[in-house]
């Protein structure tokens, strides 16, 4: 989709939860824009509100106030059917835990959006796209492996391939390396970065890890439900974390 | 209560839906078991009461064998026999009412159609307070004169007939209508409960006007002082030489009634056993599921220092709570259910005597103990598996299906066999002392056979679940391909759980189909029986014997369109000390009409010999019972120390229907010349081809003009079919409870599947599956289970129907097995429907899963 201006825009988002007798303000007036093809990281400590923000950006949850605009369309007040179509056609998700259907093999897991839409993922363009993303995440030859026959990193790459297969406007990844060792985590981030660099895929990554955030073009630091700071790193192929770490240190984070 | 015991309690409390379903599952099993016990105990008590009602205060009954009854000489001889204190003669005859259109309302017209039983007694010695047969009056005076044309009518029957005290009731007599003045209304049914409410009591002296001069049907005797039944019976044998008779005492009558209810009692026991089987499935499945859900929790407890024994105790504690709650609820439900069953059974009329359910204390204990036993047996395997969970499991991601299918199925076999054998062994004890008369062998054979078939199907289920599930999914895949694909995957996730769930549904449906098959067989056998032996399209019955020289048969045959009129008389003969039904028939008519299926002997020769005399044709059932063969000579005593010899010339598949079974066939020369039969009491009338419709009304009018009541064969078959319908309808209702239990099992399994897949459903929703699609996915999952269960259930039901049809002892349900297609269709639709209905709540839960919470859920 070619749109002039931001692909994603959040305007003054708040999110309030009831927790027993008290209420918790998870987000308190967050505004954010993401440009097409941009890789943005939302960084913050546990409980800072970064995952809540990601859920609102992807239409998984509704804000208490404010709005989210994706590709020029407000998605924060969609009814359930429209939100479902949005998730199926225009967004892709990668979660921290392995998020695969254990009974389906890698290829079938990747083809889920097609299956759900009533298409046969084994035929036509769907099959081509699955082959394409399998190559992108470096899993060619493992199409028929079930999740329990894949390593943790491979499973997460299947999840990335699934998120990419529908060529969504935006991929939202919530701590995709949180459960992985350093090397495997690196492979996942490489895969995400490649999709961004080679295919122009817009990505929003949530992480608490500076090394992961260093893959992004821009890092938004979330703290206590607000965006505390923005650190622009630019498109870099070395993904060195030191400039980001230095900047965070300057901020006292 | 230790800390862990409290944990068991809290764990059940935390999962209210599953706990409730499990308790209801056990409760329904216990309820049906208890209801069956209470009903059967009620029947036993009903038998005792019926014996009291029939025999009154008498100790012995001298019954007439012959049509013309016991003579005055016999009555005098009985009274003169030492040891006889009181001898009360009774005459019982069937006749028809005559309605006076001017005196009675049109609304009561229907009540006049069916025959009535007239009981004639001697009011001087009987039929009052203190007599042998006590007659309780609701209004009026009784029979004060003892000889006038006065009648007592049950108050309810009088109401139906539109009769009032002081009014007049007209009965059809041998010489035309006779009117009786209604001088009293009875509080109950009358002195003979086997005749039902349609009874009219008249003085013996006044009965001659109705039925002509004839002997009494029986004489009831009370014994004096220290005389014994055997002693007086021996003395009567010496003195009664005037005509054949049969002696029966209270024990004989009880045995006869027990034999007539044995099939019914066995069937209720069988259904109870099967329902409990379903209940065992549910509890086994529930505890296994709870365990697989709590593997990590138990791992944590183990890591925190809990011993294997403590963990096992935890599981047993839960089972105990479920078992006790289920058993208590089951006993309460069972009592309510037994009242409903007793009401239905009571409305069946003469067949099964029951006033209401009787709560046998041993039955209460047995039902509760079996409920607990089933729960504990089902908990054994999950408890052992729980004890084997290592602390390390707490650190691993959850895995489905801890134990192999083979090991679970082995346990299932053990559970079912243990519970089945224990239940069956304890069954007679549960009925209480009254139940000791039932034949335990016959009762146990059928449940064992049923258990074996059901267990076989259950064991087969996991093996064929895969291919069958794929086939069952095809119709759903046509409309909902995505949902069907996801559903099939989910069912394949834990094959043993799916197999157990499908197994419970299979069992319930198998019982419904098997009962349908049995009912169909019984109806078909009855219809085939009548068609096979009655040489006519309708039967005209008479209340008095019509001798050949009266020309009645000729008058009937003269009606245009009538091809043949064949006289039939039903009477009784004595053979080897027991009463046998006999029928006088015309061999040539049977030969011409092509009736009777010969299994031994040459057809034409046998029927010719029958008309020649000195020959008899016996039904196969009687030949088998007494070990008779063609060529054997039977000796029938006829009084005065004499006996009539009849040679068997043929054995037929079915004989004429008699009073209490099939009748041996004798020719008319023997019946009138040697057995004292006075004439025909029925005529089988065959119409010429295609003349039944136009000749029917004329024939009916002619028959009624001759004081005969015409009944088409189809009408007799229809009445029998109705009776079967009511009995089997009751059984079906009980079997439906087994399907309801299966439905609960499906709710349980699907809910569990949904809870286990919270994250997975979350992912599917995140990827774009709509709420409706999630909902449909769960419903399709249930639908596939329903289709598989329906297929296997119907298959097992047909096998069971064939197998049960072949087991001896189901007299009313034997015959060539048929496949009950209608029942199969209904059962399959019901099974699939209840499965999909059961999916409603789990589907609702699944469709409401929050994506955000699901993806955070680990």
């Amino acid at each position: 989709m070619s749109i002039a201006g931001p692909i994603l825009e959040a305007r003054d988002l708040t999110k309030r939860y009831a927790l027993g007798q008290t209420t918790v303000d998870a987000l308190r007036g967050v505004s954010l824009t993401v440009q097409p093809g941009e890789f943005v990281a939302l960084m913050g400590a546990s409980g800072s509100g970064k995952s809540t923000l990601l859920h609102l950006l992807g239409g998984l949850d509704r804000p208490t106030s404010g709005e989210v605009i994706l590709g020029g369309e407000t998605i924060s007040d969609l009814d359930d059917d429209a939100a479902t179509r949005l998730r199926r056609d225009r967004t892709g998700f990668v979660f921290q835990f392995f998020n695969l259907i254990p009974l389906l093999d890698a290829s079938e897991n990747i083809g889920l959006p097609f299956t759900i839409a009533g298409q046969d993922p084994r035929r036509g363009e769907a099959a081509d796209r699955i082959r394409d993303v399998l190559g992108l995440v470096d899993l060619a030859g493992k199409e028929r492996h079930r999740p329990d026959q894949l390593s943790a990193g491979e499973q997460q790459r299947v999840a990335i391939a699934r998120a990419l297969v529908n060529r969504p406007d935006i991929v939202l990844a919530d701590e995709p390396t949180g459960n992985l060792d350093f090397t495997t985590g690196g492979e996942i981030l490489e895969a995400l970065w490649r999709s961004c660099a080679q295919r122009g895929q817009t990505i929003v990554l949530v992480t608490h890890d500076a090394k992961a955030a260093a893959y992004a073009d821009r890092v938004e630091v979330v703290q206590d439900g607000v965006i505390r700071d923005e650190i622009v790193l630019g498109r870099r192929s070395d993904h060195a974390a030191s400039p980001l770490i230095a900047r965070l240190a300057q901020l006292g984070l | 209560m230790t800390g862990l015991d409290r944990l068991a309690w809290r764990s059940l409390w935390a999962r209210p839906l599953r706990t409730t379903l499990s308790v209801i599952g056990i409760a329904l099993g216990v309820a049906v078991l208890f209801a069956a016990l209470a009903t059967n105990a009620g029947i036993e008590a009903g038998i005792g009461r019926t014996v009291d009602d029939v025999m009154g205060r008498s100790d012995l009954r001298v019954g007439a064998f012959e049509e013309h009854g016991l003579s005055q000489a016999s009555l005098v001889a009985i009274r003169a026999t030492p040891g006889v204190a009181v001898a009360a003669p009774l005459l019982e005859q069937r006749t028809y009412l005559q309605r006076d259109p001017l005196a009675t309302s049109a609304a009561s017209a229907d009540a006049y159609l069916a025959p009535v039983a007239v009981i004639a007694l001697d009011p001087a010695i009987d039929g009052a307070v203190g007599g042998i047969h006590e007659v309780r009056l609701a209004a009026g005076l009784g029979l004060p004169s003892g000889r006038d044309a006065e009648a007592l009518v049950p108050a309810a029957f009088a109401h139906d007939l539109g009769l009032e005290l002081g009014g007049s009731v007209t009965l059809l007599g041998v010489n035309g209508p006779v009117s009786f003045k209604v001088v009293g209304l009875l509080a109950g049914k009358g002195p003979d409960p086997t005749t039902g409410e349609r009874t009219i009591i008249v003085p013996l002296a006044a009965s001659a006007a109705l039925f002509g001069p004839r002997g009494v049907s029986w004489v009831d005797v009370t014994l004096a002082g220290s005389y014994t039944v055997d002693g007086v019976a021996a003395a009567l044998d010496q003195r009664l030489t005037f005509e054949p008779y049969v002696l029966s005492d209270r024990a004989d009558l009880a045995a006869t009634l027990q034999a007539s209810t044995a099939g019914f009692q066995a069937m209720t026991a069988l259904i109870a056993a099967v329902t409990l089987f379903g209940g065992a499935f549910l509890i086994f499945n529930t505890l296994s599921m709870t365990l697989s859900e709590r593997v990590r929790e138990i791992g944590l407890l183990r890591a925190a220092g809990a011993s294997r024994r403590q963990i096992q105790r935890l599981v047993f504690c839960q089972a105990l709570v479920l078992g006790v709650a289920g058993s208590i609820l089951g006993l309460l439900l069972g009592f309510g259910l037994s009242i409903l069953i007793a009401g239905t059974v009571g409305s069946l009329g003469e067949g099964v005597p029951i006033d209401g359910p009787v709560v046998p204390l041993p039955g209460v204990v047995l039902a509760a103990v079996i409920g607990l036993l089933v729960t504990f047996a089902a908990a054994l395997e999950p408890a052992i598996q729980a004890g084997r969970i290592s602390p390390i499991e707490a650190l691993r991601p959850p895995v489905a299906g801890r134990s192999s299918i083979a090991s679970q199925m082995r346990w299932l076999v053990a559970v079912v066999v243990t519970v089945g054998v224990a239940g069956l062994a304890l069954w007679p004890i549960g009925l209480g002392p009254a139940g000791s008369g039932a034949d335990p062998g016959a009762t146990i054979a059928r449940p064992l056979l049923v258990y074996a078939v059901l267990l076989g199907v259950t064991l087969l289920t996991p093996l064929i679940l895969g291919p069958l599930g794929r086939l069952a999914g095809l119709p759903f895949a046509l409309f909902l391909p995505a949902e069907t694909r996801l559903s099939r995957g989910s069912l394949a996730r834990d094959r043993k759980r799916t197999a157990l769930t499908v197994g419970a549904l299979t069992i319930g449906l198998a019982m419904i189909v098997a009962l349908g098959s049995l009912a169909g067989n019984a109806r078909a056998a009855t219809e085939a029986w009548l068609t096979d032996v009655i040489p006519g399209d309708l039967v005209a019955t008479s209340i008095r014997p019509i001798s050949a020289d009266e020309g009645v048969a000729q008058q009937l045959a003269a009606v245009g369109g009538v091809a043949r009129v064949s006289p039939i008389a039903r009477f009784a003969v004595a053979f080897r000390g027991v009463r046998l039904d006999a029928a006088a028939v015309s061999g040539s008519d049977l030969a011409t009409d092509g009736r009777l299926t010969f299994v031994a002997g040459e057809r034409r020769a046998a029927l010719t010999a029958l008309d020649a005399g000195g020959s008899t044709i016996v039904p196969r059932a009687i030949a088998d019972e007494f070990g008779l063969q063609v060529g054997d000579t039977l000796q029938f005593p006829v009084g005065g120390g004499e006996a009539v010899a009849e040679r068997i010339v043929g054995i037929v598949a079915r004989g004429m229907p008699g009073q209490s079974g099939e009748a041996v066939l004798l020719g008319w020369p023997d019946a009138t010349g040697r057995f004292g039969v006075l004439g025909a009491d029925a005529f089988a009338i065959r119409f010429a081809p295609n003349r039944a419709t136009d000749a029917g009304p004329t024939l009916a009018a002619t028959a009624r003009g001759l004081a005969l009541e015409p009944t088409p064969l189809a009408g007799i078959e229809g009445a029998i079919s109705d009776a079967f319908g009511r009995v089997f309808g009751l059984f079906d209702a009980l079997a439906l409870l087994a399907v309801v239990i299966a439905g609960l099992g499906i709710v349980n399994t699907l809910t569990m599947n949904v809870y286990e897949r919270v994250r997975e459903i979350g992912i599917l929703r995140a990827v774009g599956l709509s709420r409706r699609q999630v909902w449909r996915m769960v419903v399709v999952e249930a639908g596939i289970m329903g289709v598989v269960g329906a297929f296997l259930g119907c298959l097992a039901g047909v096998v069971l129907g064939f197998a049960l049809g072949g087991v001896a002892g189901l007299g009313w349900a034997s015959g060539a097995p048929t496949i009950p297609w209608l029942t199969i269709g209904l059962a399959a639709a019901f099974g699939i429907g209840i499965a999909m209905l059961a999916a409603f709540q789990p589907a609702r839960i699944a469709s409401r899963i929050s994506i955000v919470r699901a993806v955070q859920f680990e």
Side-chain angles (χ1 to χ4, degrees):
Chain A
M1 189 179 285
S2 60
I3 294 171
I7 183 86
L8 180 70
E9 193 176 358
R11 291 181 186 160
D12 201 20
L13 291 179
T14 66
K15 182 69 184 175
R16 179 172 290 178
Y17 293 111
L19 202 67
Q21 298 293 317
T22 60
T23 55
V24 175
D25 288 312
L27 290 178
R28 297 180 293 152
V30 172
S31 295
L32 174 76
T33 55
V34 179
Q35 299 302 324
E38 200 180 7
F39 191 149
V40 176
L42 303 176
M43 202 185 162
S46 294
S48 60
K50 57 186 188 302
S51 289
T52 303
L53 177 58
L54 188 86
H55 296 154
L56 297 184
L57 295 179
L60 291 183
D61 205 355
R62 282 183 173 202
T64 307
S65 68
E67 60 180 350
V68 179
I69 298 157
L70 178 68
E73 185 192 351
T74 302
I75 62 164
S76 44
D77 58 358
L78 296 177
D79 64 20
D80 189 65
D81 285 344
T84 300
R85 280 196 299 277
L86 171 89
R87 289 194 297 271
R88 194 178 68 203
D89 302 333
R90 295 178 59 194
T91 61
F93 284 95
V94 183
F95 300 108
Q96 178 176 2
F97 301 107
F98 303 133
N99 299 315
L100 300 182
I101 308 294
L103 299 159
L104 305 181
D105 63 28
S107 177
E108 289 169 322
N109 261 295
I110 294 169
L112 260 182
F114 299 120
T115 306
I116 289 170
Q119 300 168 32
D120 187 344
R122 293 164 300 186
R123 292 190 175 84
E125 194 191 344
D128 294 341
R129 286 206 199 176
I130 291 169
R131 257 195 309 281
D132 176 46
V133 289
L134 271 165
L136 185 70
V137 297
D138 207 13
L139 278 175
K142 301 218 167 174
E143 294 88 342
R144 296 284 154 239
H145 289 219
R146 291 201 177 214
D148 57 0
Q149 296 166 320
L150 296 170
S151 72
E154 286 171 333
Q155 288 183 36
Q156 200 63 321
R157 277 186 278 152
V158 171
I160 290 171
R162 188 184 63 208
L164 293 172
V165 75
N166 234 8
R167 298 190 182 157
D169 293 351
I170 190 161
V171 166
L172 303 138
D174 190 359
E175 303 269 15
T177 59
N179 215 26
L180 302 170
D181 61 56
F182 177 75
T183 312
T184 314
E187 289 170 8
I188 299 305
L189 293 165
E190 276 296 335
L192 283 173
W193 191 81
R194 266 202 309 276
S195 73
C196 182
Q198 295 173 9
R199 309 274 170 103
Q201 178 66 57
T202 313
I203 293 173
V204 176
L205 168 79
V206 161
T207 184
H208 64 274
D209 179 5
K211 291 189 188 70
Y215 281 77
D217 304 327
R218 176 159 58 99
V219 177
E220 301 288 336
V221 180
V222 185
Q223 194 174 37
D224 295 334
V226 293
I227 294 184
R228 162 92 183 270
D229 213 332
E230 181 181 85
I231 302 165
V232 179
L233 298 170
R235 183 67 51 97
R236 302 166 306 142
S237 56
D238 64 347
H239 315 309
S242 45
L244 177 61
I245 294 169
R247 178 73 182 128
L248 291 170
Q250 281 176 4
L251 293 169
L253 294 168
Chain B
M1 192 183 268
T2 68
L4 282 182
D5 293 342
R6 272 199 296 275
L7 190 64
W9 171 249
R10 286 173 62 179
S11 165
L12 288 173
W13 199 244
R15 295 166 178 85
L17 176 68
R18 193 172 325 151
T19 303
T20 309
L21 288 175
S22 308
V23 168
I24 293 175
I26 302 166
L28 285 178
V30 170
V32 175
L33 178 70
F34 177 73
L37 284 168
T39 305
N40 286 357
I43 289 173
E44 294 294 340
I47 287 172
R49 194 258 313 147
T50 304
V51 171
D52 287 345
D53 286 351
V54 170
M55 300 284 285
R57 294 191 176 82
S58 68
D59 301 299
L60 261 178
R61 167 167 286 188
V62 186
F65 245 23
E66 292 183 342
E67 185 68 41
H68 47 69
L70 290 171
S71 62
Q72 185 64 24
S74 288
L75 181 59
V76 170
I78 292 167
R79 285 186 169 146
T81 303
V84 171
V86 180
L90 272 98
L91 169 66
E92 188 177 311
Q93 277 283 93
R94 269 160 48 106
T95 185
Y96 292 90
L97 290 160
Q98 301 279 293
R99 177 170 163 259
D100 177 357
L102 298 175
T104 55
S105 73
S108 63
D110 283 351
Y112 280 84
L113 295 178
V116 288
V118 173
I119 293 176
L121 47 75
D122 183 350
I125 56 166
D126 204 0
V129 175
I132 288 182
H133 303 98
E134 196 165 304
V135 174
R136 285 172 292 127
L137 287 170
L141 298 169
L143 300 167
S145 73
R147 52 182 57 255
D148 294 346
E150 293 170 339
L152 305 177
V153 183
F157 185 37
H159 177 262
D160 292 346
L161 295 171
L163 289 176
E164 286 176 5
L165 199 62
S168 166
V169 60
T170 307
L171 296 162
L172 184 61
V174 289
N175 298 315
V178 181
S179 289
F180 288 79
K181 185 183 177 191
V182 180
V183 295
L185 298 177
L186 300 174
K189 290 179 175 178
D192 186 350
T194 59
T195 61
E197 205 165 60
R198 297 183 66 84
T199 300
I200 292 177
I201 298 175
V202 300
L204 195 56
S207 70
L210 261 182
F211 304 117
R214 53 156 296 159
V216 296
S217 307
W218 60 81
V219 178
D220 283 341
V221 171
T222 53
L223 304 186
S226 58
Y227 287 91
T228 63
V229 169
D230 289 344
V232 174
L236 283 169
D237 266 342
Q238 295 290 317
R239 288 163 179 264
L240 290 176
T241 56
F242 311 98
E243 61 253 322
Y245 63 92
V246 65
L247 275 178
S248 52
D249 61 16
R250 306 177 82 89
D252 295 335
L253 182 59
T256 309
L257 288 170
Q258 257 157 2
S260 71
T261 60
F264 182 87
Q265 295 201 34
M267 192 54 90
T268 52
L270 176 65
I271 294 171
V274 169
T275 313
L276 208 62
F277 190 93
F281 262 62
L282 185 65
I283 192 84
F284 182 72
N285 215 357
T286 301
L287 290 173
S288 298
M289 283 195 286
T290 308
L291 180 71
S292 65
E293 186 190 41
R294 295 177 57 209
V295 165
R296 299 185 82 186
E297 185 181 320
I298 292 170
L300 274 175
L301 288 173
R302 294 274 286 128
S307 68
R308 284 184 197 286
R309 196 175 287 274
Q310 279 177 306
I311 297 297
Q312 285 167 354
R313 189 185 150 105
L314 189 77
V315 177
F316 277 123
C317 250
Q318 290 186 341
L320 183 71
V321 173
L322 293 174
V324 167
S327 295
I328 292 171
L329 184 64
L331 290 175
L332 294 174
L333 282 176
F335 185 68
L337 188 62
S338 62
I339 292 172
L340 288 177
I341 296 175
T344 312
V345 173
S347 74
L348 292 174
E350 304 164 25
V352 184
I354 185 167
D355 299 324
V358 169
V359 179
L361 187 62
V364 173
V365 176
L366 176 71
V369 165
I370 288 190
L372 284 174
L373 201 66
V374 168
T375 316
F376 271 101
L380 203 57
E381 203 267 349
I384 291 171
Q385 289 295 339
R388 287 183 184 157
I389 292 172
S390 73
I392 211 79
E393 308 266 5
L395 310 172
R396 288 184 189 150
V399 285
R402 292 190 43 74
S403 58
S404 69
I405 290 177
S407 85
Q408 290 232 337
M409 287 300 162
R410 271 199 301 276
W411 271 104
L412 184 67
V413 173
V415 166
V416 168
V417 169
T418 309
V419 172
V421 169
L424 293 171
L426 293 171
W427 185 264
I429 303 169
L431 282 176
S436 54
D439 174 10
T443 314
I444 287 170
R446 256 158 282 151
L448 282 183
L449 178 72
V450 173
Y451 266 40
V453 171
L454 294 182
L455 201 56
V457 174
T458 313
L459 295 177
L460 193 68
T461 306
L463 302 178
I464 57 173
L465 191 63
L468 214 53
R470 273 193 291 282
L471 273 177
L474 288 178
F476 295 102
L478 281 179
F479 303 100
L480 306 165
E483 290 90 336
T484 305
R485 165 133 186 75
L486 295 167
S487 304
R488 275 206 309 254
S490 168
L491 289 173
R493 172 192 315 267
D494 193 342
R495 275 201 303 152
K496 65 176 181 294
R497 182 192 300 165
T498 309
L500 283 173
T501 309
V502 169
L505 186 63
T506 301
I507 287 167
L509 294 177
M511 278 317 291
I512 290 179
V513 172
L515 289 170
S517 171
L518 286 177
N521 293 349
R523 284 194 189 101
T526 308
E527 286 165 17
W529 177 13
L530 292 177
T531 313
D532 184 47
V533 300
I534 307 282
D537 300 305
L538 65 77
V539 176
T541 48
S542 164
I543 58 159
R544 66 173 181 91
I546 298 173
S547 66
D549 55 18
E550 290 183 54
V552 170
Q554 286 76 3
Q555 289 183 58
L556 291 170
V559 174
V562 170
R564 196 176 308 104
V565 176
S566 187
I568 298 169
R570 286 185 297 175
F571 56 106
V573 291
F575 179 66
R576 296 187 190 166
V578 296
R579 179 191 178 284
L580 277 190
D581 284 308
V585 293
S586 158
S588 62
D589 287 345
L590 290 167
T592 316
D593 206 60
R595 298 304 98 190
L596 298 182
T597 305
F598 277 76
V599 293
E602 202 276 312
R603 175 189 181 79
R604 181 159 294 279
L607 290 170
T608 308
L610 204 63
D611 287 346
S615 304
T616 181
I617 294 171
V618 298
R620 178 163 47 193
I622 293 177
D624 290 348
E625 186 182 345
F626 293 99
L628 306 176
Q629 290 177 341
V630 172
D632 289 353
T633 299
L634 311 183
Q635 299 288 339
F636 297 112
V638 288
E642 290 180 22
V644 171
E646 301 279 355
R647 197 174 71 85
I648 298 177
V649 290
I651 294 173
V652 287
R654 289 289 201 176
M656 288 274 169
Q659 212 176 354
S660 59
E662 294 179 56
V664 297
L665 305 179
L666 290 157
W668 272 104
D670 287 348
T672 51
R674 303 167 83 178
F675 289 96
V677 172
L678 301 176
D681 57 15
F683 295 92
I685 295 154
R686 178 70 76 195
F687 292 110
N690 303 321
R691 295 297 303 277
T693 316
D694 67 298
T698 319
L699 182 99
T702 311
R704 290 206 174 92
L706 295 164
L708 298 171
E709 186 60 28
T711 314
L713 218 52
I716 303 172
E717 288 167 358
I720 294 170
S721 190
D722 280 354
F724 279 132
R726 288 162 79 183
V727 173
F728 280 97
L730 175 68
F731 292 150
D732 279 342
L734 290 177
L736 282 184
L737 281 180
V739 181
V740 170
I741 292 182
L744 296 179
I746 291 175
V747 176
N748 222 348
T749 297
L750 288 177
T751 309
M752 186 67 202
N753 280 354
V754 166
Y755 281 135
E756 272 185 2
R757 285 189 295 156
V758 164
R759 247 173 21 123
E760 203 175 301
I761 291 169
I763 297 162
L764 291 169
R765 293 269 293 127
V767 172
L769 201 68
S770 68
R771 283 190 199 283
R772 265 193 305 278
Q773 281 180 303
V774 172
W775 200 90
R776 288 198 294 249
M777 178 180 77
V778 178
V779 173
V780 167
E781 199 172 317
I784 293 175
M785 279 201 272
V787 172
V788 174
F791 173 76
L792 290 173
C794 292
L795 194 70
V798 170
V799 172
L800 272 182
F802 275 68
L804 284 177
V807 173
L810 275 174
W812 35 266
S814 56
T818 52
I819 296 177
W821 291 112
L822 180 65
T823 310
I824 287 175
L826 291 175
F830 181 69
I832 296 167
I834 206 164
M836 294 176 83
L837 198 67
F840 186 81
Q841 179 62 10
R844 198 162 152 266
I845 295 169
S847 67
R848 289 185 172 189
I849 286 172
S850 147
I851 306 172
V852 172
R853 293 190 64 181
V855 295
Q856 288 170 340
F857 182 98
E858 196 211 349

